Amino acid sequence: DACMRYSEGEGTPSNKDYVETAYGLTIVNLGMDDKVLDYHDTLLRVRDVCLLTGPNWLNDAILGFYFSFLQKDKYASLRRSVSFVDASVSFLVANVAEGDVAGILEPLGLQSRQIVLFSVSNNEDVEVPEGGSHWSLLVFRKGDRGEMDTFEHYDSAGAVNERAASGLVAALAPHLCNSRRHKFTSSPAATPRQDNGHDCGLYVLAVADAVCSAHELGQSGDVDEESTLTRKLGKITPEFIADFRLELLDLVEELSSGMDTGTATTLDTASSLEHCEYIA
């Protein structure tokens, strides 16, 4: 099943004072719209971080934050060969007129990249840019020495986002590919599969991390990038994803510890709480 987004009145974090969340993250005296982390070109608010504390569908703010972390910090050594494109840009490219796509992509400098990663949403409503109910990952690879450029679509729910991914590929190919010919692979054999309706965003981030790690190791010339990626993807199990959610909370804590939000903020990963609670 596709990951389901909260709808208003059905558990959506409201604009109330936040007390404490699952896994021990505690944020004192902050409203839902208050800033927790300002990191490079992304901003996380309390309502965003709350999504990491339980069985919640992640929003584009969380995906954009981790994409930024991978590009700017964890895999900074790959900045000349790998780029990340967040959900808002992917959605825009897929929905604007064909003649407008170049103006969106050219400033990103993607033509010179070997790998470009795009977050994909199944949102079809242009009136609601942050809509949709499922995330997947599209990976563009520039072919080596005359080989075809390829698009790989990693969908942890099977083919839920295949239509959205195909539409994005059609918009991207004329601007990224070296020729009219390219290969599109939907859900490669090693694609990890989710077993619930809320972890799709975490799978997107974990697969993106694996793609970069395999590429980094492959650049050394000591390992085969493709087989390394297959091995890494095989480790992305539901148990891995549950731990990964905790690791993202720890990362937010670590990065926000030195940031002045202007309000009293405490981030404590004591891993002892079980529920998100809000003051009525």
Side-chain angles (χ1 to χ4, degrees):
D1 294 336
C3 295
M4 299 308 296
R5 175 194 291 274
Y6 277 131
S7 58
E8 287 296 332
E10 297 180 0
T12 306
S14 58
N15 191 23
K16 299 175 181 178
D17 287 340
Y18 190 74
V19 181
E20 55 190 20
T21 72
Y23 307 126
L25 179 68
T26 305
I27 303 178
V28 182
N29 295 330
L30 290 181
M32 274 296 169
D33 289 327
D34 286 331
K35 181 172 63 176
V36 173
L37 177 64
D38 190 346
Y39 177 79
H40 293 293
D41 54 353
T42 62
L43 179 67
L44 292 183
R45 300 185 183 278
V46 173
R47 65 172 61 253
D48 303 317
V49 177
C50 181
L51 297 176
L52 289 170
T53 65
N56 304 318
W57 188 93
L58 302 188
N59 62 11
D60 54 348
I62 295 293
L63 268 67
F65 155 69
Y66 198 67
F67 270 17
S68 185
F69 171 73
L70 293 179
Q71 176 138 33
K72 303 291 178 60
D73 281 308
K74 188 169 185 178
Y75 298 109
S77 64
L78 301 178
R79 62 185 179 277
R80 295 185 182 278
S81 61
V82 177
S83 282
F84 295 79
V85 178
D86 66 25
S88 61
V89 176
S90 295
F91 180 76
L92 189 61
V93 168
N95 288 280
V96 298
E98 183 178 351
D100 295 330
V101 174
I104 299 170
L105 296 179
E106 284 178 4
L108 304 180
L110 304 181
Q111 274 283 356
S112 62
R113 301 297 187 264
Q114 293 176 274
I115 295 177
V116 186
L117 300 96
F118 302 85
S119 51
V120 181
S121 167
N122 63 347
N123 180 26
E124 296 183 347
D125 187 351
V126 295
E127 299 297 323
V128 186
E130 296 183 359
S133 62
H134 183 61
W135 294 114
S136 58
L137 180 73
L138 182 68
V139 179
F140 168 75
R141 294 180 186 274
K142 190 173 291 292
D144 292 328
R145 293 182 290 275
E147 295 181 356
M148 271 197 300
D149 298 328
T150 63
F151 290 92
E152 302 161 357
H153 181 225
Y154 295 90
D155 189 336
S156 58
V160 171
N161 271 10
E162 185 167 356
R163 177 177 173 180
S166 296
L168 182 56
V169 167
L172 292 170
H175 306 277
L176 296 184
C177 295
N178 290 325
S179 69
R180 292 181 179 274
R181 297 177 64 240
H182 62 271
K183 181 180 180 182
F184 174 59
T185 302
S186 181
S187 293
T191 302
R193 295 300 178 90
Q194 65 190 84
D195 63 355
N196 56 44
H198 53 263
D199 278 341
C200 55
L202 288 165
Y203 278 87
V204 166
L205 300 181
V207 172
D209 200 331
V211 167
C212 292
S213 179
H215 183 62
E216 185 176 53
L217 291 171
Q219 294 293 291
S220 69
D222 296 329
V223 300
D224 176 71
E225 183 173 341
E226 184 175 353
S227 60
T228 300
L229 176 58
T230 298
R231 186 178 70 254
K232 288 180 175 293
L233 293 178
K235 295 180 180 180
I236 303 177
T237 63
E239 294 75 22
F240 175 96
I241 290 297
D243 290 339
F244 183 43
R245 187 181 284 270
L246 293 175
E247 290 173 7
L248 285 179
L249 275 173
D250 287 344
L251 179 62
V252 171
E253 175 190 11
E254 178 184 347
L255 295 175
S256 64
S257 61
M259 190 190 76
D260 181 11
T261 62
T263 52
T265 304
T266 302
L267 292 175
D268 176 21
T269 52
S271 301
S272 59
L273 304 178
E274 297 180 355
H275 303 287
C276 287
E277 297 179 1
Y278 303 89
I279 298 176

